[in-house]
Amino acid sequence: MLTDYPAAVDAARAGAVGRPRFTPPRETLLLAAVALGYGLAQIGSWRLDLGWDETIYVSQVDPDVPTAFFSAPRARGVTLLAAPVASVTSDVTALRIWFTLLSAVALFCVFRLWFRVIAPAAAVVAGLLFACLWVAVYYGPQVMPNLWVAFSAVAAVAGLLRVTAGSERHDLDRTGLLALVLGAATMTLMRPSDAAWLSLPLVLGVLVVRSWRTWTAAAGLFGGLALGALPWVVEAYVRFGGMLERLHQASEIQGGTGFNPWLLRRTVQTLDGPLLCRPCAPDPVSPLHVWWVFVLPVAVLVGVFVAVRHGRTGAALLPTLAAASIALPYLFLLEYTAPRFLLPSYALAAVPSGLAAHHLLVRAGRWRPVAIGVVAALLVVHVASQGAVLRNRVDAAARNGNGYTAVAERLHALGIDGDCVVSGYRAAPIAFYARCRSRMVGGHDGSIDAAGLVALSRRQPTVVIVRGSRTPPPYAQSWAEHPLPRVGHTRLRAFVAPRS
C-alpha cells in the first residue's frame, strides 16, 4: 500500500526493531542492488567507439581535440558531465566507465527520493522496471543527454511532491527542495526543449493546486528552471543572435514540427530496431521485444487508480502527466524518432507502474503466491527480451561504428595531422580520433561553404571523406584519392588536398 509521509517509519527503521541506526533499510539495499546490476549490464557497451554526437560533446572539453561545431539545438549539460574525465584523458574506455558509475549512482539517488512519497518497495520496483529497459542500459555509458533528462525529471517530480507535502505540515523538506532545484536545473541544462515539455505539468500544479501554491515550491521550480536555462540563453545571444534566432535555427535543423500520424508506428518500430529512424525501413518488430510498451499504459492507469484510492493522487498523477507531456512531441509532432527520445517518459511512467505492481503483490491475499509467480515470470521474460535487444544493438553499433582509430592512423600516414581539417562522411568522429577539426559544408553541422574549405586547404592539411563508390564533391574531385580502413562494413575513401 501507499506509505503516508512517514516520520514514524524512519524512527522505526532507525532502531526500534533492534537494528543499529547505521544499518540501511532493506529497500535501500534492494535499490542499491538494482543500481549495481544496472551498472554491470553496461559493461558490454564499453567497447563502442564514440559516435557522431558524442564526439561533438566531448570535443568541447577535451584539450587534445579541436572543438567541433556546436549547432543550435545542442545544449552543454552532458559536456559538463564529461569534463572531469575528458579534460584529463582522451581514453574512451575511461569515459565509458565514468558515465557508467554516474548513471548507476543517479538511478539509485533519484528513485531513493521517492521513498518518502510512495511505499519504498514500490520505488524499488519502479527503479527496477526502468533499469531493465535496453535503451536505458545502452545509453548509460554514452555521452548523450536523454538519459540525464530522465533522471533529473524523476528527481524534480519527487522533489516537488516532497516539498509540497512538507508545506502541508509546515515542515521544510530540505532534501526534497534540493532535488527540485537540481532536477529542474539539470533537465534544462541537458535539453531545454525537453525541460519545457516536462515542466508544464509541474508549473500548472504549482499554479493551480491550492496546497502546492507555496513560495518554497514556486521558488524551487522556477529558480531551478531559470538556473539551468541561463547558459543556453547566454549562448543564444553570444553565438546565434538571440533566443528567437537560435530557436529558429534549431527548428530548421530538426525538421520543424507538425502533426505526423505515422510517427507513433515508427516509434514502436525502434523499440527493437534502429537507434535513429530518419527515416528507416519498415522492418518488422518482434512481439517478444515490444509487448511491454502495450502493457505500460495499463500499469500506469492502475497505479494512478491505486494512488487515488489511498488519497495520494499527486504521487502517481504528476509523474504520469509529466511522462505524457514529454511523450507528446516525440510521438506525434516530429519528422523522425529514436528510442532514446522517450527515456524521460519511461522513467516517469515507471513510478505509477511500480505502484501498480506493488499493490498487486500486497493486496493479493491468499492469491499472493500466484501474483508473485506471475509478476516474476513477466519480469524474467522482460529482462531476457530486453537483454537480447541490448546485445543486438551493441553488436550492430560495433559493426557499423567501430574502426575510427585505424582511419585516424591512416590519415596521419597521409600527412593529415597537426592543424588539420576533416570534412565529408562521418567527419566529426573521424576528426575527433585524428585530432583534427571537422568542418562540414552544409548539413546539420554545416560551418563552412565550399569556397571557404578550398581556401582553408591551401593553409592546412585537409581531407574530404567519401563513402563507398560515391562521387566526391566537385571541389575535391582533383584531389589525391586514397583508400581508408573500413568503419564497420562501410568502405571509405580519402581525398587529400594538395599542399601549397
Side-chain angles (χ1 to χ4, degrees):
M1 61 181 179
L2 287 173
T3 304
D4 293 332
Y5 197 97
V9 170
D10 286 344
R13 285 176 174 163
V17 293
R19 290 185 295 184
R21 285 182 177 274
F22 58 84
T23 301
R26 180 182 60 183
E27 292 85 357
T28 299
L29 292 176
L30 289 174
L31 185 58
V34 170
L36 177 61
Y38 176 64
L40 292 175
Q42 298 176 24
I43 293 177
S45 301
W46 291 356
R47 60 191 172 100
L48 297 180
D49 284 354
L50 294 179
W52 181 292
D53 294 294
E54 291 183 289
T55 57
I56 291 176
Y57 288 124
V58 175
S59 72
Q60 310 301 310
V61 290
D62 190 330
D64 298 327
V65 178
T67 303
F69 177 73
F70 207 77
S71 60
R74 302 186 187 277
R76 298 186 181 272
V78 74
T79 293
L80 297 178
L81 286 182
V85 172
S87 60
V88 175
T89 176
S90 298
D91 184 72
V92 174
T93 303
L95 203 58
R96 297 288 188 218
I97 294 173
W98 168 246
F99 271 86
T100 291
L101 294 173
L102 282 182
S103 59
V105 171
L107 183 134
F108 173 82
C109 291
V110 300
F111 285 101
R112 178 64 177 80
L113 289 168
W114 285 86
F115 280 21
R116 281 183 171 261
V117 182
I118 60 178
V124 173
V125 174
L128 176 62
L129 292 176
F130 182 67
C132 287
L133 294 179
W134 75 265
V135 66
V137 177
Y138 184 87
Y139 285 101
Q142 297 213 13
V143 192
M144 295 290 284
N146 309 85
L147 180 67
W148 299 98
V149 175
F151 286 144
S152 54
V154 172
V157 173
L160 179 59
L161 292 170
R162 288 177 59 149
V163 167
T164 53
S167 299
E168 293 177 4
R169 300 177 356 264
H170 305 288
D171 179 26
L172 177 61
D173 187 329
R174 291 182 176 83
T175 301
L177 180 60
L178 182 63
L180 174 59
V181 174
L182 291 182
T186 303
M187 67 182 182
T188 313
L189 191 63
M190 293 292 166
R191 287 180 67 90
S193 57
D194 282 6
W197 287 98
L198 283 164
S199 61
L200 278 177
L202 281 67
V203 170
L204 290 175
V206 169
L207 296 178
V208 174
V209 180
R210 180 178 301 176
S211 61
W212 291 7
R213 266 185 260 156
T214 66
W215 284 109
T216 304
L221 176 59
F222 293 115
L225 293 173
L227 182 65
L230 183 61
W232 188 90
V233 173
V234 171
E235 187 178 28
Y237 284 97
V238 172
R239 293 187 56 228
F240 299 98
M243 291 178 58
L244 293 180
E245 179 60 25
R246 183 170 191 176
L247 290 171
H248 174 69
Q249 292 184 32
S251 179
E252 284 188 340
I253 289 174
Q254 294 176 324
T257 58
F259 181 68
N260 185 353
W262 301 107
L263 191 59
L264 183 61
R265 186 192 68 180
R266 293 175 184 169
T267 301
V268 174
Q269 182 181 333
T270 63
L271 291 176
D272 71 344
L275 298 177
L276 181 64
C277 193
R278 193 178 187 175
C280 54
D283 296 328
V285 295
S286 169
L288 184 64
H289 297 159
V290 303
W291 65 272
W292 62 272
V293 81
F294 299 101
V295 176
L296 183 62
V298 178
V300 168
L301 291 177
V302 172
V304 172
F305 175 76
V306 169
V308 171
R309 282 195 58 187
H310 287 83
R312 302 297 301 278
T313 304
L317 189 59
L318 185 60
T320 299
L321 292 176
S325 181
I326 185 58
L328 177 64
Y330 291 125
L331 292 179
F332 300 106
L333 300 182
L334 296 182
E335 291 298 322
Y336 65 101
T337 187
R340 67 178 186 272
F341 291 164
L342 289 178
L343 277 169
S345 188
Y346 297 149
L348 290 163
V351 174
S353 300
L355 278 172
H358 179 253
H359 181 77
L360 173 65
L361 297 178
V362 169
R363 297 295 185 180
R366 61 191 180 93
W367 295 99
R368 182 177 296 179
V370 176
I372 292 175
V374 171
V375 171
L378 289 175
L379 186 61
V380 169
V381 171
H382 180 56
V383 170
S385 65
Q386 293 295 291
V389 177
L390 177 65
R391 287 191 298 272
N392 291 338
R393 291 300 95 211
V394 171
D395 290 343
R399 288 194 304 270
N400 298 322
N402 278 7
Y404 293 120
T405 300
V407 172
E409 291 173 352
R410 175 60 176 157
L411 290 178
H412 291 163
L414 295 173
I416 306 298
D417 56 8
D419 189 15
C420 47
V421 177
V422 177
S423 186
Y425 180 74
R426 298 201 184 187
I430 290 175
F432 179 89
Y433 280 85
R435 302 297 185 258
C436 299
R437 187 178 305 277
S438 62
R439 300 299 296 269
M440 297 298 297
V441 178
H444 298 158
D445 294 316
S447 58
I448 197 170
D449 58 16
L453 185 64
V454 172
L456 200 62
S457 70
R458 299 190 182 104
R459 305 189 305 270
Q460 300 172 241
T462 302
V463 62
V464 172
I465 308 297
V466 175
R467 177 185 184 184
S469 59
R470 297 188 180 185
T471 303
Y475 57 84
Q477 289 181 3
S478 62
W479 294 0
E481 178 182 350
H482 302 274
L484 292 176
R486 294 175 181 265
V487 172
H489 294 300
T490 305
R491 185 168 62 88
L492 302 179
R493 294 178 294 152
F495 288 79
V496 180
R499 296 295 182 91
S500 299

